[in-house]
Amino acid sequence: QSVLTQPPSASGTPGQTVTISCSGSSSDIGSNTVNWYQQLPGTAPKLLMYYNNQRPSGVPDRFSGSKSGTSASLAISGLQSEDEADYYCAAWDDTLNGHWVFGEGTKLTVL
Amino acid sequence: QITLKESGPTLVKPTQTLTLTCTFSGFSLSTSGVGVGWLRQPPGKALEWLGLIYWNDNKRYNPSLRNRLTLTKDTSKNQVVLSLANVDPVDTATYYCADRQTSIFGVVISFGSWGQGALVTVSS
């Protein structure tokens, strides 16, 4: 059912920078902004980034987002063990009367 | 402070209708720009958006569920109800409700606050 493409996994060591990609199409990422959600094990998702690169209050500036064309990316610098989680990108799709589409999720492992 | 909580049955039989209620506080669904969405996550799988109901009673549904899904709101009770007809074991998932807010500057924040989720199993 997922429409946005993410790598299934990513990893890094503490202190490193990790980037997670999200690929879509002209009707979703190409036309609208991207949100990112973080889901820690056993918990509900949490909004991490909205409008491509805006952090909600309380999200560390180690997290940054960007978008170019029909792709987006989430970068995590100064990786910490607490960043180990699943990350999902999402965007509004203008087709079929409009609907949200999500990525398949990327499991980030901190080695 | 915004809070949301899902409630409903934990077990539903195939072909039945699943009804879940999202009860929220900290905002009103009568406020312009506000909405409540539903999402779900099958065990070990990705998030899936189900639908969204807006303050003006407009609704948007996942195209793959449009013929089975209905969202309604009761503004006075601060509740949104999800009805999913003719359920199948593949509908087994944790169901979440989440908010949509619009700031005075027109910034839309979708799914900024989430409920804890409700695990629903579809099995005979």
Side-chain angles (χ1 to χ4, degrees), chain B residues 8 90 121:
Chain B
V90 299
T121 300

Side-chain angles (χ1 to χ4, degrees), chain A residues 2 5 7 15 19 22 31 44 54 73 75-76 78 80-81 85 88 97 103-107 111:
Chain A
S2 299
T5 302
T19 300
C22 174
S31 301
Q54 301 299 301
S73 62
I76 309 171
Q80 299 180 3
S81 58
Y88 295 91
N97 206 31
E104 303 128 318
T106 298
K107 182 173 182 59
L111 302 169

Side-chain angles (χ1 to χ4, degrees), chain A residues 26-57:
Chain A
S26 58
S27 62
D28 41 65
I29 294 179
S31 301
N32 299 287
T33 60
V34 177
N35 289 359
W36 289 90
Y37 301 88
Q38 176 194 58
Q39 187 175 32
L40 298 171
T43 69
K46 166 191 167 184
L47 180 65
L48 197 64
M49 201 75 58
Y50 65 98
Y51 274 29
N52 305 326
N53 56 16
Q54 301 299 301
R55 289 184 305 274
S57 174

